[in-house]
Amino acid sequence: MLLVAGGQLDQNIGRLLKRVLERRTPFFDILLGPDLIPRIAIDLDDEALVVNGTVVNPSGCFIRHDVFLQETVKTADAHSAALNWYYTVRGWALSQEKIRVFNRRSYMSENSKIQNLVSARRFGLKIPRSIVSNQALEDIENLPNSLVWIQKPVAGGSYTTLLSDLQLQSRLEEFPRFIQPRLLRPEMRVYNVAGRLLAFRLESPDIDYRISHNVELTAVEVPDEIRSPLLALCDELGVDFSASDFMLDNEGDLNFLEINTQPMFAAFDRVVDGRLCDAIIDHLLSEEN
């Protein structure tokens, strides 16, 4: 039986549950929403998980931190609630060695974009020229003017923009950012589901397609030159569910940008008629198959 936990408003959770229903896979869901608060209890003496009066005993668990609750309710309480639900269910699943969960080996590690870039290069993936700084915001003419430069926050949380278009409202916003050359479309996203790689080409006129969602997705083959290095990187990081992003440089080479351990996947899964969700379900329930 598969346990699926996350946000009621999360389209990725909705997409996975839709596929679970289509496959008639036994499941139990723990969904959090503005008007949906499950009742949960974990007694550490017997380590049982009880949800709405039912003891839940899954073989596999898929859980996502719900970022959509705060976007809807827009309160600090919503952020705290989503975070505590995530750590409760994932913490219980991690404590049960018999339960299959993604990224079990990396639960004690932060996902550092700086570390990931350095490690990716060590495993043979090409990375763009990258500077982490807040000084460049004050004096961008020191950067080579033969290239167009972009910026993005080191920890994420906002969109990628042209460095020249960066608008700062306060001194506190002058925190360190990645400064990189603007790379070329198409972009490529490669999902790793327990060693199974699924690649997609993203065509968009925008620097960051998330701003307007003006993007065309196409399933493609994983290029041979990135397959082994990417799997080696994921293994080093202890990550068996992720999405890695690549873009082309002026020489036509794919450059590794970052790896996301809680990626969105609903739109990509639709492109491949559910095969991405199938890979997730198959792995988490592989002991039952």
Side-chain angles (χ1 to χ4, degrees), residues 53-64:
T54 299
V55 178
V56 182
N57 188 27
S59 300
C61 174
F62 185 88
I63 179 169
R64 274 178 58 86

Side-chain angles (χ1 to χ4, degrees), residues 202-249:
L202 296 82
E203 295 276 8
S204 175
D206 300 326
I207 293 177
D208 192 324
Y209 70 88
R210 296 171 299 172
I211 297 175
S212 67
H213 300 288
N214 182 10
V215 61
E216 181 180 344
L217 306 178
T218 309
V220 295
E221 292 296 321
V222 180
D224 290 338
E225 66 269 21
I226 68 171
R227 177 181 292 275
S228 293
L230 180 57
L231 287 172
L233 173 64
C234 290
D235 185 63
E236 160 113 334
L237 298 175
V239 168
D240 57 3
F241 179 66
S242 63
S244 298
D245 294 329
F246 296 81
M247 290 185 74
L248 295 169
D249 60 22

Side-chain angles (χ1 to χ4, degrees), residues 3 16-17 121 155 161 286:
L3 173 62
L16 182 61
L17 286 173
R121 182 172 56 193
T161 69
S286 60

Side-chain angles (χ1 to χ4, degrees), residues 171-206:
R171 293 287 295 177
L172 286 176
E173 291 182 281
E174 294 183 11
F175 47 75
R177 301 167 189 264
F178 280 112
I179 313 297
Q180 296 172 329
R182 183 178 182 179
L183 298 176
L184 308 174
R185 301 286 186 189
E187 185 173 345
M188 179 175 288
R189 168 163 282 202
V190 183
Y191 287 86
N192 174 23
V193 186
R196 180 180 176 184
L197 302 183
L198 296 92
F200 299 84
R201 183 174 66 238
L202 296 82
E203 295 276 8
S204 175
D206 300 326

Side-chain angles (χ1 to χ4, degrees), residues 80-255:
S80 178
L83 194 63
N84 279 280
W85 274 99
Y86 174 74
Y87 277 108
T88 297
V89 179
R90 180 161 170 81
W92 175 81
L94 286 170
S95 75
Q96 307 300 301
E97 293 184 1
K98 69 180 186 298
I99 297 177
R100 283 211 167 199
V101 293
F102 284 117
N103 301 337
R104 178 183 283 277
R105 289 199 294 126
S106 65
Y107 77 97
M108 290 291 288
S109 304
E110 66 179 68
N111 186 30
S112 166
K113 294 184 179 183
I114 295 176
Q115 178 201 16
N116 293 345
L117 283 166
V118 173
S119 296
R121 182 172 56 193
R122 181 157 47 84
F123 282 111
L125 293 170
K126 193 172 183 180
I127 67 170
R129 175 83 168 95
S130 300
I131 303 165
V132 179
S133 175
N134 68 343
Q135 296 180 31
L137 308 183
E138 303 167 357
D139 197 13
I140 63 173
E141 62 263 24
N142 289 333
L143 297 173
N145 58 18
S146 58
L147 297 172
V148 177
W149 296 83
I150 59 92
Q151 70 79 31
K152 55 185 179 182
V154 169
S158 63
Y159 298 122
T160 300
T161 69
L162 291 175
L163 180 58
S164 58
D165 290 344
L166 181 63
Q167 300 292 323
L168 297 178
Q169 304 302 316
S170 71
R171 293 287 295 177
L172 286 176
E173 291 182 281
E174 294 183 11
F175 47 75
R177 301 167 189 264
F178 280 112
I179 313 297
Q180 296 172 329
R182 183 178 182 179
L183 298 176
L184 308 174
R185 301 286 186 189
E187 185 173 345
M188 179 175 288
R189 168 163 282 202
V190 183
Y191 287 86
N192 174 23
V193 186
R196 180 180 176 184
L197 302 183
L198 296 92
F200 299 84
R201 183 174 66 238
L202 296 82
E203 295 276 8
S204 175
D206 300 326
I207 293 177
D208 192 324
Y209 70 88
R210 296 171 299 172
I211 297 175
S212 67
H213 300 288
N214 182 10
V215 61
E216 181 180 344
L217 306 178
T218 309
V220 295
E221 292 296 321
V222 180
D224 290 338
E225 66 269 21
I226 68 171
R227 177 181 292 275
S228 293
L230 180 57
L231 287 172
L233 173 64
C234 290
D235 185 63
E236 160 113 334
L237 298 175
V239 168
D240 57 3
F241 179 66
S242 63
S244 298
D245 294 329
F246 296 81
M247 290 185 74
L248 295 169
D249 60 22
N250 290 330
E251 287 74 46
D253 296 326
L254 284 169
N255 282 229

